[in-house]
Short mmCIF file of all heavy atoms in Angstrom, two decimals:
data_model
loop_
_atom_site.label_atom_id
_atom_site.label_comp_id
_atom_site.label_asym_id
_atom_site.label_seq_id
_atom_site.Cartn_x
_atom_site.Cartn_y
_atom_site.Cartn_z
N LEU Z 385 -49.88 9.88 78.70
CA LEU Z 385 -49.28 11.21 78.72
C LEU Z 385 -47.78 11.13 78.96
O LEU Z 385 -46.98 11.81 78.29
CB LEU Z 385 -49.95 12.07 79.78
CG LEU Z 385 -49.40 13.49 79.98
CD1 LEU Z 385 -49.49 14.29 78.69
CD2 LEU Z 385 -50.13 14.19 81.11
N GLN Z 386 -47.38 10.30 79.90
CA GLN Z 386 -45.94 10.13 80.16
C GLN Z 386 -45.21 9.62 78.92
O GLN Z 386 -44.11 10.06 78.60
CB GLN Z 386 -45.73 9.15 81.32
CG GLN Z 386 -45.95 9.74 82.69
CD GLN Z 386 -45.50 8.78 83.77
OE1 GLN Z 386 -45.78 7.58 83.72
NE2 GLN Z 386 -44.80 9.29 84.78
N ARG Z 387 -45.83 8.70 78.23
CA ARG Z 387 -45.22 8.14 77.03
C ARG Z 387 -45.05 9.22 75.96
O ARG Z 387 -44.01 9.30 75.30
CB ARG Z 387 -46.09 6.99 76.52
CG ARG Z 387 -45.62 6.33 75.25
CD ARG Z 387 -46.48 5.10 74.95
NE ARG Z 387 -46.39 4.73 73.55
CZ ARG Z 387 -45.43 4.00 73.03
NH1 ARG Z 387 -44.44 3.57 73.79
NH2 ARG Z 387 -45.42 3.69 71.74
N ALA Z 388 -46.06 10.08 75.80
CA ALA Z 388 -45.98 11.16 74.81
C ALA Z 388 -44.90 12.16 75.20
O ALA Z 388 -44.08 12.58 74.36
CB ALA Z 388 -47.33 11.84 74.67
N GLU Z 389 -44.89 12.54 76.47
CA GLU Z 389 -43.92 13.55 76.91
C GLU Z 389 -42.49 13.04 76.82
O GLU Z 389 -41.57 13.81 76.53
CB GLU Z 389 -44.26 14.01 78.32
CG GLU Z 389 -45.50 14.88 78.39
CD GLU Z 389 -45.68 15.56 79.73
OE1 GLU Z 389 -45.43 14.91 80.76
OE2 GLU Z 389 -46.06 16.74 79.74
N SER Z 390 -42.30 11.76 77.08
CA SER Z 390 -40.94 11.22 76.98
C SER Z 390 -40.45 11.26 75.54
O SER Z 390 -39.23 11.26 75.29
CB SER Z 390 -40.91 9.78 77.51
OG SER Z 390 -41.68 8.92 76.67
N ALA Z 391 -41.40 11.30 74.59
CA ALA Z 391 -41.03 11.43 73.18
C ALA Z 391 -41.00 12.89 72.73
O ALA Z 391 -40.82 13.17 71.54
CB ALA Z 391 -42.01 10.63 72.32
N GLY Z 392 -41.23 13.81 73.67
CA GLY Z 392 -41.16 15.23 73.37
C GLY Z 392 -42.34 15.78 72.60
O GLY Z 392 -42.21 16.75 71.86
N ARG Z 393 -43.53 15.17 72.78
CA ARG Z 393 -44.69 15.64 72.03
C ARG Z 393 -45.92 15.77 72.93
O ARG Z 393 -45.96 15.22 74.04
CB ARG Z 393 -45.02 14.68 70.88
CG ARG Z 393 -45.23 13.24 71.30
CD ARG Z 393 -45.50 12.33 70.11
NE ARG Z 393 -45.56 10.93 70.49
CZ ARG Z 393 -46.61 10.32 71.01
NH1 ARG Z 393 -47.72 11.02 71.24
NH2 ARG Z 393 -46.57 9.02 71.31
N ALA Z 394 -46.90 16.52 72.45
CA ALA Z 394 -48.17 16.65 73.16
C ALA Z 394 -48.97 15.37 72.99
O ALA Z 394 -48.74 14.57 72.07
CB ALA Z 394 -48.96 17.83 72.61
N LEU Z 395 -49.93 15.15 73.91
CA LEU Z 395 -50.83 14.00 73.79
C LEU Z 395 -52.15 14.45 73.19
O LEU Z 395 -52.89 15.22 73.82
CB LEU Z 395 -51.08 13.36 75.17
CG LEU Z 395 -52.05 12.17 75.15
CD1 LEU Z 395 -51.44 11.00 74.39
CD2 LEU Z 395 -52.42 11.76 76.57
N PRO Z 396 -52.48 14.00 71.97
CA PRO Z 396 -53.78 14.37 71.39
C PRO Z 396 -54.92 13.66 72.13
O PRO Z 396 -54.82 12.47 72.44
CB PRO Z 396 -53.68 13.85 69.95
CG PRO Z 396 -52.24 13.50 69.73
CD PRO Z 396 -51.69 13.17 71.07
#
Side-chain angles (χ1 to χ4, degrees):
L385 177 59
Q386 281 189 316
R387 178 174 160 83
E389 287 192 319
S390 66
R393 55 182 174 81
L395 178 67

